[in-house]
Amino acid sequence: MSTTTERVLPAAGRRSFFGRPWSDYALFLILLGPNLVLLVVFTYRPLIENFQFSFYDWNLSSPTSKFIGLENYREWFSRDDTWTIVGNTVVFTIAAVVGSLVLGLALAMLLDRALRGRNFVRSAIFAPFVISGAAIGIAFQFVFDPNFGLVQDLLHRVGLTSPDFYQDPHWALFMVTVTYLWKNLGYAFVIYLAALQGVRKELMEAAEIDRAGRWTTFRKVLLPQLRPTTFFLSITVLLNSLQVFDIINVMTRGGPLGNGTTTMVFQVYEETFRNFRAGYGATVATIMFVVLLIMTLLQVRIMDRDDQR
């Protein structure tokens, strides 16, 4: 007994906060420390500096800046083009999120069946996701060309005239949105396809035995099981769609007619690197961050309420 006591007491003496040994905390710092350092240096530090820059009038090429307080924010809320840009961002984001979720789930349900050649089709749907957005934007410039593009040819065959996607702001925004959906649809498709593998088959069989219709089974049995996946996709697709720059820059450069397809993230680039107003660009980026933070917190709260029911 004495030998056992002598072994236990030193171990107890080495214990630290919450009854855990110092070695656990040392291992925690060794494993997590480098990631925390990178996160602080490349994420939180730029975020804080961006917030600071939003209170300055700073030409990106100048080594000096002038503190102007909330003037950048006042200008953003009072400019005539602000609400056009916000409207473009909202329309593009809603179409991207809803389109990706609906089409991704529909394709996943279709290709979850034992169909001939389904693996090839799955790969074909996912392939655009890994291709550069700039390359896809250049390719789709020819697809939507009103003179000799693929869309023009298909519409001509049925007796219709192709819209001028590069002169009409509404059609230009439609063109950019369709291009983005085509590129990123594979992401939602793959996530939903993986989620369908975990659906409880006994519930689906029970609904079939109870003679529930396809729509009722889909709405009452399948969708509730896919709710966590839908929640995850809604956040990630929302964040990704709000950061789209390459496709817009290649296809329209924010036009036509000035701001026809300009979104908030493209405005950040335009004000910072074209107009050299880094302070104003930081203001737009800060407003975007606050909006995204609020929307994410609301989505998390809604999801928590659903889980508690």
Side-chain angles (χ1 to χ4, degrees):
M1 293 294 294
S2 60
T3 305
T4 304
T5 304
E6 290 175 358
R7 291 179 179 176
V8 172
L9 288 176
R14 290 196 301 268
R15 292 189 178 276
S16 178
F17 300 107
F18 305 110
R20 301 191 65 88
W22 284 106
S23 59
D24 287 357
Y25 292 102
L27 181 62
F28 170 80
L29 289 177
I30 291 173
L31 296 177
L32 196 60
N35 292 327
L36 288 177
V37 171
L38 292 174
L39 195 63
V40 170
V41 172
F42 294 105
T43 300
Y44 294 115
R45 177 174 169 268
L47 185 64
I48 295 172
E49 289 184 346
N50 180 83
F51 181 69
Q52 292 175 338
F53 292 153
S54 68
F55 297 104
Y56 287 83
D57 180 15
W58 178 34
N59 187 319
L60 193 61
S61 61
S62 174
T64 61
S65 58
K66 177 184 177 182
F67 181 80
I68 57 175
L70 297 174
E71 189 59 35
N72 284 329
Y73 291 92
R74 293 193 190 98
E75 179 182 348
W76 188 84
F77 282 101
S78 61
R79 275 176 54 163
D80 294 335
D81 63 348
T82 293
W83 304 114
T84 300
I85 295 172
V86 171
N88 292 340
T89 305
V90 171
V91 171
F92 178 85
T93 303
I94 292 177
V97 173
V98 175
S100 296
L101 296 183
V102 173
L103 295 176
L105 178 57
L107 288 172
M109 293 177 63
L110 176 64
L111 295 175
D112 190 41
R113 304 175 182 180
L115 301 175
R116 182 176 299 177
R118 68 174 183 176
N119 291 334
F120 172 78
V121 178
R122 288 176 178 178
S123 301
I125 293 174
F126 183 73
F129 179 69
V130 299
I131 300 176
S132 166
I136 288 180
I138 292 174
F140 270 77
Q141 280 185 312
F142 297 99
V143 172
F144 286 100
D145 190 283
N147 296 317
F148 55 84
L150 176 63
V151 173
Q152 181 272 340
D153 181 65
L154 293 176
L155 292 176
H156 179 73
R157 291 175 184 272
V158 296
L160 298 177
T161 303
S162 174
D164 195 339
F165 294 102
Y166 293 98
Q167 297 299 324
D168 189 317
H170 301 293
W171 282 112
L173 187 60
F174 171 82
M175 172 183 66
V176 171
T177 305
V178 170
T179 304
Y180 174 82
L181 274 175
W182 187 85
K183 179 190 183 305
N184 293 275
L185 179 61
Y187 172 73
F189 161 73
V190 166
I191 300 297
Y192 268 131
L193 188 62
L196 288 174
Q197 311 304 313
V199 169
R200 297 177 61 183
K201 303 299 182 183
E202 61 271 18
L203 294 179
M204 304 297 290
E205 293 172 356
E208 185 177 355
I209 293 173
D210 292 339
R211 296 184 179 180
R214 291 186 177 180
W215 172 245
T216 303
T217 303
F218 172 77
R219 187 166 53 93
K220 296 291 187 179
V221 180
L222 183 61
L223 278 185
Q225 297 185 72
L226 296 176
R227 185 178 291 121
T229 303
T230 302
F231 171 72
F232 167 78
L233 283 173
S234 64
I235 291 180
T236 54
V237 174
L238 173 69
L239 296 176
N240 290 334
S241 62
L242 282 172
Q243 299 177 56
V244 174
F245 168 78
D246 47 5
I247 291 177
I248 295 175
N249 186 49
V250 167
M251 298 189 74
T252 62
R253 296 190 181 275
L257 303 179
N259 299 308
T261 57
T262 299
T263 59
M264 291 182 69
V265 71
F266 192 84
Q267 186 184 22
V268 172
Y269 160 78
E270 197 168 48
E271 294 292 346
T272 303
F273 298 104
R274 285 188 181 176
N275 301 334
F276 298 102
R277 300 186 62 196
Y280 190 78
T283 300
V284 181
T286 301
I287 293 172
M288 277 188 62
F289 169 75
V290 172
V291 172
L292 281 173
L293 180 62
I294 293 173
M295 294 180 65
T296 303
L297 292 176
L298 287 175
Q299 287 177 309
V300 171
R301 187 170 183 179
I302 293 171
M303 191 64 184
D304 289 340
R305 285 181 179 178
D306 291 341
D307 291 340
Q308 292 173 4
R309 291 178 182 176

